[in-house]
Amino acid sequence: MKKLIAITLVMLLAFTTVFANGSSESQATADSGKTYTIKLGHTMSTAHPRHVSLLEFEKYVEEKSGGKVQVELFPAGVLGSEPDMQESMRMGTLEAFVGGPFDTISKKLNLFLMPFFFDNQDALMRVAKNEEVFNIISSDAEANGLKILAIGDGGARQITNSKRRITKPADMKGLKLRTPSIEAIMVCMETLGASTVSIPLADCYMSLKTGVADGQENPVATIYDQKLFEVQKYITYVNYQYHPEVLTMNAKYYNSLPAEYQQILSDAAWLFIETENKIAIENAESRLEEMKAYGCDVYTPTDAEKQAFVDACTPVYDHFVNTLKYFTQEELDLVKSLAMGK
C-alpha cells in the first residue's frame, strides 16, 4: 500500500508538471518566460546533511534563475524507496534524485565502492573531480538515460551489530547483516564472512530491533539519523567504503533545458556537494560521541587490525574486474592512483 501511494503521488506530480510546463522536450530559451519545476526525491530525514545541503541547492537554483526554475524537495522517502524513485526518474515522472543503488545509474560508479580505496574525503574528491573519471562514469549513465550533475562524499561506511565487538574478519562469521541492494556492499560483507539480507532503509530499524538482522553497515550520519544505534550495541569504526553522493537527473529533461539553466544546475549541484562534505566532516565526531554516551561500544581497529580487513577484501576487486566486468583493470588502477595522490 505504501508503494502504491508513493507511485500515485509521483504520477500526480508528473501530471501537474506537464500541464503547468508543457512537454519536457521543449527547447525554449531562457528568456522566453517559460518556467520549470524540478521535483527531487531522497530517503533521508530533513535533519540529515543531505537534505540540509539540498536546501542550498534549491536556494541557488531559484535565485540564479530568477525564479524561472523551481525546485521541490521530497525527503524521507515520501515518494517511495530509492529503487522506486530511481525508476520514476528514469521514466521521467521524477526529474531528480540523490542516492543509490548505483549499479542502475552506472556500473562504473562501483569504482568508488571498492573496499579501503579511500583514506579520507580528500582522496575521494580527487577522484570525483577528475575529468577523465567523471567522463567515464557520466557517459555510462547517459547511456542509461540519466545525467549525473555532481559526485561527492556519501559517507565512510561503518559496521554495526548487536552480538559482539568486531576487531578482525573472523568476528564477522555467523553475523546476518542488513545491506541495501548494492552489489559491492553485499560482496564485501560476504567476502568477510557475514551473510546478507537486503532490506529497505525504512525497514532497517525494525529489522534490527526484532532480530531479522544482527547488524548493518552505513555512514555515521545515517546510523545517527535513522537511530540505528538504539538497537545496535557495537559499532566498528573501520571506514571500509566511502560511497559517492550522486545527484542525478533524467537526461531527457536535463537536455530539454536552456543551456543557461543547465549551467545553473551544474553549479548548484557542486555547491550541494561542497556543503554536504563540510557538514559531514563537522558532524561525524560529535555524532559518534553521542552514540557512545547512549551506551554503544565504538571500536576503531588498529592499523594492523585494519590491514587484516584490507587483505581479506582483495578478492572483491577481481570479482568486479574479471567476473562482473563492470570496469577494466586500467580504470581501477586510475582511481587507485588518484586516491593515493599520484
Side-chain angles (χ1 to χ4, degrees):
M1 180 61 71
K2 260 172 84 177
K3 185 172 181 179
L4 181 60
I5 292 170
I7 292 171
T8 303
L9 181 54
V10 170
M11 291 180 69
L12 239 144
L13 288 165
F15 183 79
T16 304
T17 302
V18 168
F19 275 82
N21 294 338
S23 169
S24 64
E25 294 184 30
S26 169
Q27 297 297 320
T29 58
D31 61 353
S32 68
K34 184 178 176 65
T35 60
Y36 300 84
T37 299
I38 295 172
K39 300 180 296 294
L40 193 160
H42 68 93
T43 57
M44 298 305 175
S45 77
T46 54
H48 191 276
R50 176 181 291 173
H51 188 78
V52 174
S53 304
L54 281 171
L55 291 173
E56 293 300 311
F57 172 86
E58 176 185 28
K59 180 181 176 183
Y60 185 94
V61 170
E62 294 181 355
E63 285 184 356
K64 293 296 183 181
S65 69
K68 296 291 183 65
V69 183
Q70 293 290 310
V71 178
E72 296 179 0
L73 300 178
F74 294 88
V78 296
L79 298 183
S81 67
E82 289 194 335
D84 289 339
M85 282 188 279
Q86 195 180 107
E87 183 58 23
S88 295
M89 180 177 60
R90 196 183 308 279
M91 292 171 61
T93 53
L94 181 66
E95 286 76 30
F97 165 72
V98 179
F102 304 112
D103 294 356
T104 44
I105 296 174
S106 165
K107 287 182 169 59
K108 303 288 187 181
L109 278 168
N110 282 281
L111 286 162
F112 284 92
L113 306 185
M114 293 300 95
F116 302 104
F117 251 35
F118 304 105
D119 289 333
N120 49 45
Q121 186 184 92
D122 288 343
L124 181 141
M125 292 310 299
R126 280 197 297 273
V127 176
K129 290 187 173 182
N130 178 267
E131 186 176 356
E132 183 178 357
V133 174
F134 194 84
N135 287 340
I136 287 170
I137 295 170
S138 294
S139 297
D140 194 49
E142 288 182 31
N144 293 325
L146 303 175
K147 173 70 177 180
I148 295 177
L149 293 180
I151 300 173
D153 177 14
R157 299 181 83 89
Q158 322 304 337
I159 302 168
T160 76
N161 80 99
S162 60
K163 299 295 185 182
R164 53 183 173 269
R165 176 185 279 189
I166 295 171
T167 64
K168 56 187 179 298
D171 295 332
M172 299 282 288
K173 295 188 185 303
L175 291 179
K176 183 187 288 185
L177 297 186
R178 173 270 169 188
T179 70
S181 54
I182 296 176
E183 180 85 9
I185 293 177
M186 294 186 287
V187 170
C188 190
M189 293 298 100
E190 290 166 3
T191 298
L192 289 171
S195 62
T196 61
V197 54
S198 183
I199 298 171
L201 184 61
D203 301 323
C204 186
Y205 183 98
M206 192 55 64
S207 73
L208 296 171
K209 184 176 182 179
T210 57
V212 172
D214 301 317
Q216 60 86 53
E217 55 70 60
N218 255 307
V220 168
T222 304
I223 295 168
Y224 184 87
D225 182 69
Q226 299 291 315
K227 302 187 185 303
L228 303 182
F229 63 91
E230 294 180 353
V231 288
Q232 297 281 269
K233 170 70 175 175
Y234 302 97
I235 300 174
T236 302
Y237 191 76
V238 68
N239 293 347
Y240 87 93
Q241 278 184 348
Y242 269 82
H243 271 210
E245 181 77 315
V246 189
L247 201 167
T248 318
M249 288 193 73
N250 175 282
K252 189 175 181 181
Y253 180 86
Y254 175 85
N255 291 331
S256 76
L257 296 171
E260 177 184 335
Y261 295 160
Q262 291 178 353
Q263 186 60 54
I264 288 172
L265 285 169
S266 178
D267 294 342
W270 286 109
L271 173 64
F272 156 66
I273 293 299
E274 290 169 9
T275 305
E276 186 174 15
N277 284 359
K278 185 169 181 276
I279 295 173
I281 293 295
E282 290 172 349
N283 285 0
E285 190 171 339
S286 62
R287 296 292 189 250
L288 274 177
E289 290 304 316
E290 287 185 53
M291 290 189 278
K292 284 180 185 177
Y294 185 84
C296 293
D297 179 273
V298 179
Y299 183 75
T300 302
T302 65
D303 289 345
E305 288 170 339
K306 188 171 182 177
Q307 188 59 47
F309 284 93
V310 174
D311 295 341
C313 286
T314 300
V316 176
Y317 313 140
D318 182 71
H319 178 73
F320 277 85
V321 172
N322 296 313
T323 303
L324 296 178
K325 301 185 186 300
Y326 280 6
F327 44 77
T328 66
Q329 185 64 48
E330 290 73 21
E331 289 169 338
L332 185 71
D333 292 342
L334 171 62
V335 169
K336 188 171 184 179
S337 177
L338 290 166
M340 295 173 66
K342 294 182 178 179

